[in-house]
Amino acid sequence: RRVLELRDDWAQAHLMLGTALFLRGDHLTARTELQRALEADAGLLEARKVLARVHAALGENEAAVEEGRRVLKEDPDSDALHILVAQSLVRQRRFDEGMKELMRIPEERRHAEVLYAMGRIDRLEGRPEEARRRFQQALAQRPEQPRPGRGSAAQREGITVSDQDVAAGRQREERA
């Protein structure tokens, strides 16, 4: 941090620190560092990806949607960000928009995680047969795992944040 105080224009250093803080569960400080990274270099796409995840972890769903959509303009093939945006929309009870976001993922890339997310929306919207069909498709792709994990698309894209990381960070924030 001392180096960052001396050279505040080091966007990559702020990104690295913000990512490390996020992985540690310090979401508020991570958000600050990632915002500093973007102040220094507004085109730093990786900082925007992590910042979208930070917003989601903090329950800032609209901010997660906005940041995620900024990333998707530059990287429309990011399945993890499509899923994150859809989940943030669903948390705001914007089910139709969430499904539309998932439908932007081409059918040939709709892996188990995407199908599972679509099934959850179908279930929430009162379409149990469609939900069951999607859940079965998801299970057929990943029979070794009864519930497709939310981290898989993120892991494929190098974003290694598990549900346990997010839950642990929330617990720390609640105790603080």
PDB file of all heavy atoms in Angstrom, residues 75-99:
ATOM      1  N   ASP A  75     -16.559  -7.446 -24.056  1.00  0.00           N
ATOM      2  CA  ASP A  75     -16.308  -8.890 -24.037  1.00  0.00           C
ATOM      3  C   ASP A  75     -17.641  -9.637 -24.019  1.00  0.00           C
ATOM      4  O   ASP A  75     -18.025 -10.204 -23.002  1.00  0.00           O
ATOM      5  CB  ASP A  75     -15.456  -9.246 -22.813  1.00  0.00           C
ATOM      6  CG  ASP A  75     -15.072 -10.710 -22.755  1.00  0.00           C
ATOM      7  OD1 ASP A  75     -15.275 -11.430 -23.758  1.00  0.00           O
ATOM      8  OD2 ASP A  75     -14.571 -11.142 -21.699  1.00  0.00           O
ATOM      9  N   PRO A  76     -18.365  -9.637 -25.160  1.00  0.00           N
ATOM     10  CA  PRO A  76     -19.703 -10.245 -25.178  1.00  0.00           C
ATOM     11  C   PRO A  76     -19.699 -11.761 -24.985  1.00  0.00           C
ATOM     12  O   PRO A  76     -20.747 -12.349 -24.756  1.00  0.00           O
ATOM     13  CB  PRO A  76     -20.250  -9.863 -26.561  1.00  0.00           C
ATOM     14  CG  PRO A  76     -19.047  -9.594 -27.389  1.00  0.00           C
ATOM     15  CD  PRO A  76     -17.999  -9.065 -26.448  1.00  0.00           C
ATOM     16  N   ASP A  77     -18.541 -12.395 -25.056  1.00  0.00           N
ATOM     17  CA  ASP A  77     -18.462 -13.848 -24.899  1.00  0.00           C
ATOM     18  C   ASP A  77     -18.212 -14.286 -23.461  1.00  0.00           C
ATOM     19  O   ASP A  77     -17.959 -15.464 -23.214  1.00  0.00           O
ATOM     20  CB  ASP A  77     -17.353 -14.413 -25.798  1.00  0.00           C
ATOM     21  CG  ASP A  77     -17.686 -14.253 -27.267  1.00  0.00           C
ATOM     22  OD1 ASP A  77     -18.878 -14.183 -27.605  1.00  0.00           O
ATOM     23  OD2 ASP A  77     -16.742 -14.195 -28.080  1.00  0.00           O
ATOM     24  N   SER A  78     -18.291 -13.381 -22.517  1.00  0.00           N
ATOM     25  CA  SER A  78     -18.047 -13.722 -21.118  1.00  0.00           C
ATOM     26  C   SER A  78     -19.296 -14.337 -20.497  1.00  0.00           C
ATOM     27  O   SER A  78     -20.179 -13.642 -20.005  1.00  0.00           O
ATOM     28  CB  SER A  78     -17.630 -12.473 -20.325  1.00  0.00           C
ATOM     29  OG  SER A  78     -17.490 -12.799 -18.962  1.00  0.00           O
ATOM     30  N   ASP A  79     -19.361 -15.661 -20.535  1.00  0.00           N
ATOM     31  CA  ASP A  79     -20.511 -16.358 -19.959  1.00  0.00           C
ATOM     32  C   ASP A  79     -20.664 -16.033 -18.476  1.00  0.00           C
ATOM     33  O   ASP A  79     -21.781 -15.863 -17.978  1.00  0.00           O
ATOM     34  CB  ASP A  79     -20.364 -17.866 -20.129  1.00  0.00           C
ATOM     35  CG  ASP A  79     -20.391 -18.295 -21.582  1.00  0.00           C
ATOM     36  OD1 ASP A  79     -20.753 -17.484 -22.459  1.00  0.00           O
ATOM     37  OD2 ASP A  79     -20.050 -19.454 -21.842  1.00  0.00           O
ATOM     38  N   ALA A  80     -19.552 -15.956 -17.759  1.00  0.00           N
ATOM     39  CA  ALA A  80     -19.603 -15.670 -16.315  1.00  0.00           C
ATOM     40  C   ALA A  80     -20.270 -14.325 -16.051  1.00  0.00           C
ATOM     41  O   ALA A  80     -21.055 -14.196 -15.113  1.00  0.00           O
ATOM     42  CB  ALA A  80     -18.195 -15.697 -15.720  1.00  0.00           C
ATOM     43  N   LEU A  81     -19.986 -13.326 -16.885  1.00  0.00           N
ATOM     44  CA  LEU A  81     -20.600 -12.011 -16.677  1.00  0.00           C
ATOM     45  C   LEU A  81     -22.073 -12.016 -17.078  1.00  0.00           C
ATOM     46  O   LEU A  81     -22.885 -11.365 -16.422  1.00  0.00           O
ATOM     47  CB  LEU A  81     -19.836 -10.925 -17.437  1.00  0.00           C
ATOM     48  CG  LEU A  81     -18.810 -10.166 -16.604  1.00  0.00           C
ATOM     49  CD1 LEU A  81     -19.445  -9.304 -15.556  1.00  0.00           C
ATOM     50  CD2 LEU A  81     -17.762 -11.033 -16.008  1.00  0.00           C
ATOM     51  N   HIS A  82     -22.433 -12.747 -18.127  1.00  0.00           N
ATOM     52  CA  HIS A  82     -23.859 -12.875 -18.470  1.00  0.00           C
ATOM     53  C   HIS A  82     -24.617 -13.484 -17.289  1.00  0.00           C
ATOM     54  O   HIS A  82     -25.704 -13.029 -16.930  1.00  0.00           O
ATOM     55  CB  HIS A  82     -24.061 -13.749 -19.711  1.00  0.00           C
ATOM     56  CG  HIS A  82     -23.773 -13.065 -20.999  1.00  0.00           C
ATOM     57  ND1 HIS A  82     -24.547 -12.029 -21.493  1.00  0.00           N
ATOM     58  CD2 HIS A  82     -22.795 -13.263 -21.920  1.00  0.00           C
ATOM     59  CE1 HIS A  82     -24.065 -11.627 -22.657  1.00  0.00           C
ATOM     60  NE2 HIS A  82     -22.994 -12.359 -22.933  1.00  0.00           N
ATOM     61  N   ILE A  83     -24.041 -14.522 -16.687  1.00  0.00           N
ATOM     62  CA  ILE A  83     -24.689 -15.181 -15.547  1.00  0.00           C
ATOM     63  C   ILE A  83     -24.773 -14.227 -14.363  1.00  0.00           C
ATOM     64  O   ILE A  83     -25.816 -14.119 -13.715  1.00  0.00           O
ATOM     65  CB  ILE A  83     -23.946 -16.481 -15.181  1.00  0.00           C
ATOM     66  CG1 ILE A  83     -24.109 -17.510 -16.307  1.00  0.00           C
ATOM     67  CG2 ILE A  83     -24.450 -17.038 -13.851  1.00  0.00           C
ATOM     68  CD1 ILE A  83     -23.183 -18.701 -16.185  1.00  0.00           C
ATOM     69  N   LEU A  84     -23.691 -13.509 -14.080  1.00  0.00           N
ATOM     70  CA  LEU A  84     -23.684 -12.556 -12.962  1.00  0.00           C
ATOM     71  C   LEU A  84     -24.744 -11.476 -13.163  1.00  0.00           C
ATOM     72  O   LEU A  84     -25.494 -11.150 -12.236  1.00  0.00           O
ATOM     73  CB  LEU A  84     -22.300 -11.914 -12.809  1.00  0.00           C
ATOM     74  CG  LEU A  84     -22.242 -10.867 -11.712  1.00  0.00           C
ATOM     75  CD1 LEU A  84     -21.740 -11.495 -10.420  1.00  0.00           C
ATOM     76  CD2 LEU A  84     -21.369  -9.709 -12.113  1.00  0.00           C
ATOM     77  N   VAL A  85     -24.823 -10.921 -14.364  1.00  0.00           N
ATOM     78  CA  VAL A  85     -25.826  -9.890 -14.657  1.00  0.00           C
ATOM     79  C   VAL A  85     -27.232 -10.473 -14.487  1.00  0.00           C
ATOM     80  O   VAL A  85     -28.093  -9.854 -13.859  1.00  0.00           O
ATOM     81  CB  VAL A  85     -25.624  -9.294 -16.073  1.00  0.00           C
ATOM     82  CG1 VAL A  85     -26.824  -8.449 -16.493  1.00  0.00           C
ATOM     83  CG2 VAL A  85     -24.339  -8.466 -16.120  1.00  0.00           C
ATOM     84  N   ALA A  86     -27.445 -11.675 -15.014  1.00  0.00           N
ATOM     85  CA  ALA A  86     -28.763 -12.314 -14.886  1.00  0.00           C
ATOM     86  C   ALA A  86     -29.119 -12.535 -13.416  1.00  0.00           C
ATOM     87  O   ALA A  86     -30.245 -12.250 -12.993  1.00  0.00           O
ATOM     88  CB  ALA A  86     -28.784 -13.641 -15.645  1.00  0.00           C
ATOM     89  N   GLN A  87     -28.171 -13.026 -12.630  1.00  0.00           N
ATOM     90  CA  GLN A  87     -28.436 -13.256 -11.205  1.00  0.00           C
ATOM     91  C   GLN A  87     -28.762 -11.946 -10.488  1.00  0.00           C
ATOM     92  O   GLN A  87     -29.662 -11.898  -9.646  1.00  0.00           O
ATOM     93  CB  GLN A  87     -27.235 -13.921 -10.544  1.00  0.00           C
ATOM     94  CG  GLN A  87     -27.057 -15.363 -10.952  1.00  0.00           C
ATOM     95  CD  GLN A  87     -25.741 -15.950 -10.471  1.00  0.00           C
ATOM     96  OE1 GLN A  87     -24.777 -15.235 -10.197  1.00  0.00           O
ATOM     97  NE2 GLN A  87     -25.702 -17.266 -10.372  1.00  0.00           N
ATOM     98  N   SER A  88     -28.056 -10.891 -10.829  1.00  0.00           N
ATOM     99  CA  SER A  88     -28.313  -9.596 -10.197  1.00  0.00           C
ATOM    100  C   SER A  88     -29.688  -9.060 -10.594  1.00  0.00           C
ATOM    101  O   SER A  88     -30.368  -8.433  -9.777  1.00  0.00           O
ATOM    102  CB  SER A  88     -27.207  -8.600 -10.566  1.00  0.00           C
ATOM    103  OG  SER A  88     -25.967  -9.040 -10.040  1.00  0.00           O
ATOM    104  N   LEU A  89     -30.093  -9.299 -11.830  1.00  0.00           N
ATOM    105  CA  LEU A  89     -31.434  -8.895 -12.262  1.00  0.00           C
ATOM    106  C   LEU A  89     -32.506  -9.695 -11.527  1.00  0.00           C
ATOM    107  O   LEU A  89     -33.512  -9.149 -11.082  1.00  0.00           O
ATOM    108  CB  LEU A  89     -31.576  -9.078 -13.777  1.00  0.00           C
ATOM    109  CG  LEU A  89     -30.795  -8.077 -14.631  1.00  0.00           C
ATOM    110  CD1 LEU A  89     -30.691  -8.572 -16.066  1.00  0.00           C
ATOM    111  CD2 LEU A  89     -31.426  -6.690 -14.574  1.00  0.00           C
ATOM    112  N   VAL A  90     -32.290 -11.000 -11.385  1.00  0.00           N
ATOM    113  CA  VAL A  90     -33.256 -11.855 -10.687  1.00  0.00           C
ATOM    114  C   VAL A  90     -33.392 -11.427  -9.235  1.00  0.00           C
ATOM    115  O   VAL A  90     -34.498 -11.410  -8.682  1.00  0.00           O
ATOM    116  CB  VAL A  90     -32.858 -13.343 -10.816  1.00  0.00           C
ATOM    117  CG1 VAL A  90     -33.649 -14.217  -9.858  1.00  0.00           C
ATOM    118  CG2 VAL A  90     -33.051 -13.811 -12.258  1.00  0.00           C
ATOM    119  N   ARG A  91     -32.284 -11.047  -8.598  1.00  0.00           N
ATOM    120  CA  ARG A  91     -32.345 -10.589  -7.203  1.00  0.00           C
ATOM    121  C   ARG A  91     -33.192  -9.325  -7.064  1.00  0.00           C
ATOM    122  O   ARG A  91     -33.683  -9.029  -5.989  1.00  0.00           O
ATOM    123  CB  ARG A  91     -30.937 -10.347  -6.672  1.00  0.00           C
ATOM    124  CG  ARG A  91     -30.188 -11.625  -6.414  1.00  0.00           C
ATOM    125  CD  ARG A  91     -28.831 -11.371  -5.783  1.00  0.00           C
ATOM    126  NE  ARG A  91     -28.076 -12.591  -5.784  1.00  0.00           N
ATOM    127  CZ  ARG A  91     -26.965 -12.796  -6.469  1.00  0.00           C
ATOM    128  NH1 ARG A  91     -26.450 -11.823  -7.212  1.00  0.00           N
ATOM    129  NH2 ARG A  91     -26.348 -13.951  -6.431  1.00  0.00           N
ATOM    130  N   GLN A  92     -33.361  -8.605  -8.175  1.00  0.00           N
ATOM    131  CA  GLN A  92     -34.220  -7.425  -8.186  1.00  0.00           C
ATOM    132  C   GLN A  92     -35.622  -7.769  -8.695  1.00  0.00           C
ATOM    133  O   GLN A  92     -36.421  -6.878  -8.949  1.00  0.00           O
ATOM    134  CB  GLN A  92     -33.600  -6.352  -9.099  1.00  0.00           C
ATOM    135  CG  GLN A  92     -32.260  -5.852  -8.617  1.00  0.00           C
ATOM    136  CD  GLN A  92     -31.675  -4.886  -9.627  1.00  0.00           C
ATOM    137  OE1 GLN A  92     -32.195  -3.776  -9.799  1.00  0.00           O
ATOM    138  NE2 GLN A  92     -30.617  -5.296 -10.302  1.00  0.00           N
ATOM    139  N   ARG A  93     -35.881  -9.079  -8.851  1.00  0.00           N
ATOM    140  CA  ARG A  93     -37.167  -9.603  -9.321  1.00  0.00           C
ATOM    141  C   ARG A  93     -37.460  -9.172 -10.753  1.00  0.00           C
ATOM    142  O   ARG A  93     -38.604  -9.075 -11.168  1.00  0.00           O
ATOM    143  CB  ARG A  93     -38.300  -9.214  -8.370  1.00  0.00           C
ATOM    144  CG  ARG A  93     -37.933  -9.532  -6.917  1.00  0.00           C
ATOM    145  CD  ARG A  93     -38.991  -9.937  -5.983  1.00  0.00           C
ATOM    146  NE  ARG A  93     -39.993 -10.875  -6.362  1.00  0.00           N
ATOM    147  CZ  ARG A  93     -39.883 -12.211  -6.302  1.00  0.00           C
ATOM    148  NH1 ARG A  93     -38.764 -12.762  -5.924  1.00  0.00           N
ATOM    149  NH2 ARG A  93     -40.897 -12.989  -6.629  1.00  0.00           N
ATOM    150  N   ARG A  94     -36.419  -8.963 -11.532  1.00  0.00           N
ATOM    151  CA  ARG A  94     -36.527  -8.604 -12.947  1.00  0.00           C
ATOM    152  C   ARG A  94     -36.263  -9.882 -13.759  1.00  0.00           C
ATOM    153  O   ARG A  94     -35.264 -10.006 -14.453  1.00  0.00           O
ATOM    154  CB  ARG A  94     -35.543  -7.478 -13.268  1.00  0.00           C
ATOM    155  CG  ARG A  94     -35.906  -6.188 -12.554  1.00  0.00           C
ATOM    156  CD  ARG A  94     -34.784  -5.194 -12.446  1.00  0.00           C
ATOM    157  NE  ARG A  94     -34.236  -4.747 -13.716  1.00  0.00           N
ATOM    158  CZ  ARG A  94     -33.178  -3.945 -13.796  1.00  0.00           C
ATOM    159  NH1 ARG A  94     -32.569  -3.513 -12.700  1.00  0.00           N
ATOM    160  NH2 ARG A  94     -32.721  -3.588 -14.976  1.00  0.00           N
ATOM    161  N   PHE A  95     -37.190 -10.838 -13.621  1.00  0.00           N
ATOM    162  CA  PHE A  95     -37.006 -12.174 -14.171  1.00  0.00           C
ATOM    163  C   PHE A  95     -36.884 -12.184 -15.693  1.00  0.00           C
ATOM    164  O   PHE A  95     -36.040 -12.894 -16.243  1.00  0.00           O
ATOM    165  CB  PHE A  95     -38.143 -13.096 -13.728  1.00  0.00           C
ATOM    166  CG  PHE A  95     -38.280 -13.201 -12.235  1.00  0.00           C
ATOM    167  CD1 PHE A  95     -39.446 -12.803 -11.609  1.00  0.00           C
ATOM    168  CD2 PHE A  95     -37.241 -13.682 -11.454  1.00  0.00           C
ATOM    169  CE1 PHE A  95     -39.577 -12.902 -10.230  1.00  0.00           C
ATOM    170  CE2 PHE A  95     -37.366 -13.785 -10.079  1.00  0.00           C
ATOM    171  CZ  PHE A  95     -38.528 -13.386  -9.462  1.00  0.00           C
ATOM    172  N   ASP A  96     -37.743 -11.443 -16.370  1.00  0.00           N
ATOM    173  CA  ASP A  96     -37.704 -11.432 -17.842  1.00  0.00           C
ATOM    174  C   ASP A  96     -36.357 -10.923 -18.344  1.00  0.00           C
ATOM    175  O   ASP A  96     -35.783 -11.488 -19.274  1.00  0.00           O
ATOM    176  CB  ASP A  96     -38.828 -10.574 -18.421  1.00  0.00           C
ATOM    177  CG  ASP A  96     -40.196 -11.220 -18.265  1.00  0.00           C
ATOM    178  OD1 ASP A  96     -40.246 -12.443 -18.025  1.00  0.00           O
ATOM    179  OD2 ASP A  96     -41.208 -10.498 -18.386  1.00  0.00           O
ATOM    180  N   GLU A  97     -35.853  -9.857 -17.732  1.00  0.00           N
ATOM    181  CA  GLU A  97     -34.559  -9.328 -18.143  1.00  0.00           C
ATOM    182  C   GLU A  97     -33.442 -10.323 -17.849  1.00  0.00           C
ATOM    183  O   GLU A  97     -32.495 -10.448 -18.638  1.00  0.00           O
ATOM    184  CB  GLU A  97     -34.256  -8.012 -17.423  1.00  0.00           C
ATOM    185  CG  GLU A  97     -35.074  -6.841 -17.890  1.00  0.00           C
ATOM    186  CD  GLU A  97     -34.715  -5.593 -17.103  1.00  0.00           C
ATOM    187  OE1 GLU A  97     -33.618  -5.049 -17.341  1.00  0.00           O
ATOM    188  OE2 GLU A  97     -35.529  -5.191 -16.241  1.00  0.00           O
ATOM    189  N   GLY A  98     -33.545 -11.008 -16.717  1.00  0.00           N
ATOM    190  CA  GLY A  98     -32.550 -12.016 -16.374  1.00  0.00           C
ATOM    191  C   GLY A  98     -32.510 -13.135 -17.401  1.00  0.00           C
ATOM    192  O   GLY A  98     -31.444 -13.568 -17.832  1.00  0.00           O
ATOM    193  N   MET A  99     -33.686 -13.604 -17.816  1.00  0.00           N
ATOM    194  CA  MET A  99     -33.747 -14.666 -18.827  1.00  0.00           C
ATOM    195  C   MET A  99     -33.201 -14.156 -20.162  1.00  0.00           C
ATOM    196  O   MET A  99     -32.459 -14.873 -20.845  1.00  0.00           O
ATOM    197  CB  MET A  99     -35.176 -15.172 -18.983  1.00  0.00           C
ATOM    198  CG  MET A  99     -35.296 -16.348 -19.941  1.00  0.00           C
ATOM    199  SD  MET A  99     -34.403 -17.823 -19.402  1.00  0.00           S
ATOM    200  CE  MET A  99     -35.631 -18.555 -18.314  1.00  0.00           C
TER     201      MET A  99
END
